[in-house]
Amino acid sequence: DAKTTQPPSMDCAEGRAANLPCNHSTISGNEYVYWYRQIHSQGPQYIIHGLKNNETNEMASLIITEDRKSSTLILPHATLRDTAVYYCIVPPSPGSARQLTFGSGTQLTVLP
Amino acid sequence: KAGVTQTPRYLIKTRGQQVTLSCSPISGHRSVSWYQQTPGQGLQFLFEYFSETQRNKGNFPGRFSGRQFSNSRSEMNVSTLELGDSALYLCASSEGDRGQRTGELFFGEGSRLTVL
């Protein structure tokens, strides 16, 4: 997988936007960026994925830079339930989206 | 739609024993992947099954095996258990169409194995 780098931890005030960065400078042209999160003691949960255009769904927005070397996951109005480890993942090829390499992720703590 | 169901949720075994874990994917999903999560190694891919065939395999010893049935349910087996096999074992299902990037894995709650 293209190597991804994320800060180990971040804090965010409840109700504010949480912006989680990810560097993937070795990403190649056909590799997608995926985001998952894992709330303590639960299985990971898919959030969003994208190739080069910005993406938005009911959970979050994904902003990918024009050179695709970095991205930012945005949770527009963070709640206490958003406290989790967030993983940015770049699988190496189409069809490998089910063979994911999870790094250490970012521990997001939403503060009341 | 029911989610991914894993059984048992918790189990305790002793070294040398074997264990079988079960996973029922979301209805209509044909791909089942297995992951191991430990505090030291994080989440690691074990293998993926699609239409009863192992399609991908991670870097685990042969003591770890799996299979998938015609109804897409999957089992994984670990033989000759070692202390280091203590982990949360997660199953994930997806539509699994190789022809397109489906992107989304749906994970179960996991089976927590403790080896004494």
Side-chain angles (χ1 to χ4, degrees):
Chain A
D1 296 8
K3 181 175 173 56
T4 60
T5 304
Q6 300 177 253
S9 64
M10 293 181 64
D11 292 340
C12 175
E14 188 177 19
R16 305 297 293 269
N19 297 282
L20 294 98
C22 179
N23 287 320
H24 31 78
S25 58
T26 60
I27 195 170
S28 63
N30 65 346
E31 292 177 336
Y32 284 70
V33 180
Y34 289 81
W35 284 83
Y36 282 80
R37 73 180 183 182
Q38 187 174 25
I39 297 170
H40 183 63
S41 297
Q42 296 183 19
Q45 178 188 24
Y46 166 84
I47 301 173
I48 199 168
H49 74 284
L51 182 61
K52 52 184 176 182
N53 297 319
N54 297 339
E55 302 286 346
T56 296
N57 62 21
E58 65 279 4
M59 288 184 66
S61 294
L62 174 61
I63 309 297
I64 302 174
T65 58
E66 194 168 340
D67 63 8
R68 304 209 327 117
K69 292 185 177 181
S70 66
S71 60
T72 300
L73 178 74
I74 301 172
L75 307 178
H77 306 286
T79 71
L80 299 179
R81 287 176 292 182
D82 292 322
T83 293
V85 178
Y86 287 77
Y87 297 99
C88 168
I89 302 166
V90 178
S93 63
S96 67
R98 294 162 294 282
Q99 184 177 350
L100 300 177
T101 299
F102 289 80
S104 301
T106 295
Q107 171 66 59
L108 173 68
T109 302
V110 180
L111 304 171
Chain B
K1 226 181 204 182
V4 178
T5 303
Q6 292 189 245
T7 57
R9 290 292 313 278
Y10 302 91
L11 67 165
I12 300 173
K13 294 284 187 178
T14 57
R15 280 181 297 174
Q17 287 186 311
Q18 72 166 10
V19 66
T20 299
L21 308 177
S22 178
C23 172
S24 293
I26 291 172
S27 177
H29 285 190
R30 294 190 295 164
S31 169
V32 173
S33 304
W34 287 90
Y35 288 78
Q36 180 197 65
Q37 185 170 29
T38 61
Q41 299 297 319
L43 267 159
Q44 294 186 287
F45 172 79
L46 280 157
F47 28 65
E48 182 211 355
Y49 286 86
F50 179 81
S51 293
E52 302 180 65
T53 301
Q54 187 179 89
R55 191 155 66 172
N56 291 299
K57 190 177 190 308
N59 188 25
F60 278 82
R63 299 185 298 107
F64 292 82
S65 63
R67 59 177 174 168
Q68 187 179 33
F69 302 96
S70 59
N71 62 358
S72 294
R73 190 178 70 85
S74 176
E75 290 181 347
M76 68 162 283
N77 183 276
V78 188
S79 62
T80 319
L81 284 166
E82 301 176 359
L83 296 178
D85 297 332
S86 293
L88 181 66
Y89 290 88
L90 291 156
C91 165
S93 81
S94 71
E95 294 173 353
D97 183 345
R98 188 184 278 279
Q100 61 182 358
R101 183 179 289 275
T102 56
E104 188 171 358
L105 289 182
F106 295 84
F107 283 83
E109 295 299 310
S111 293
R112 185 166 295 281
L113 170 66
T114 301
V115 181
L116 302 176

